[in-house]
Amino acid sequence: MVTYLYWAAVIALIIASLFIGSRLGSLKIGAIVAAVFFVGGWLAYYFHYEQVFVKRFGGVMRISVPDGYRHIGATWKEDNLWIENYNPKTNQCIFTEYSKGNILEGRVIIQDCNPLMPSQGTQP
């Protein structure tokens, strides 16, 4: 819901800049200002607000589990989402960070991690 309100505000700014530009007799300047609002709004959403909206206000974010992997869990560390998947072919647990704008993504790989089956050395 918050995402819709954000984009409604960005679109309102774009329409207002076009309207004001046409009223002042310079639609070209209005179009340039509208383009600046659009690009600025898109960049702000992608690099800052997307994960903030999802975490704090219940937005929607879609992430796919790679083929052949099994999803183990997900957690938030500040405003970054960490996803844990298991690769049964290589017996690795892979933690992947989804940061704002996907610029600084971390990855942690744990070798010989077998979370889905009990270890073979233990007896029930």
Side-chain angles (χ1 to χ4, degrees):
M1 180 68 177
V2 174
T3 303
Y4 297 132
L5 293 175
Y6 175 81
W7 285 112
V10 170
I11 291 169
L13 286 172
I14 292 169
I15 292 171
S17 64
L18 290 171
F19 179 75
I20 292 170
S22 69
R23 285 293 189 190
L24 295 177
S26 181
L27 188 58
K28 182 179 178 180
I29 293 175
I32 291 171
V33 171
V36 168
F37 279 135
F38 174 74
V39 171
W42 181 79
L43 290 173
Y45 179 77
Y46 185 73
F47 287 106
H48 180 70
Y49 290 120
E50 182 180 24
Q51 288 193 20
V52 172
F53 288 165
V54 170
K55 181 181 178 194
R56 297 183 187 159
F57 303 111
V60 176
M61 186 175 168
R62 299 189 192 285
I63 297 174
S64 302
V65 176
D67 290 335
Y69 285 44
R70 295 189 181 177
H71 176 68
I72 303 294
T75 188
W76 291 95
K77 177 68 175 166
E78 297 174 2
D79 285 334
N80 298 334
L81 178 63
W82 283 86
I83 305 288
E84 180 185 9
N85 293 319
Y86 173 65
N87 185 350
K89 292 180 183 175
T90 60
N91 197 25
Q92 294 176 338
C93 289
I94 301 163
F95 292 86
T96 307
E97 176 185 19
Y98 292 90
S99 63
K100 295 177 185 175
N102 299 329
I103 293 177
L104 301 173
E105 289 189 351
R107 189 175 184 115
V108 177
I109 299 173
I110 301 174
Q111 300 291 335
D112 299 323
C113 172
N114 197 354
L116 302 177
M117 303 183 82
S119 64
Q120 298 177 7
T122 60
Q123 295 292 328

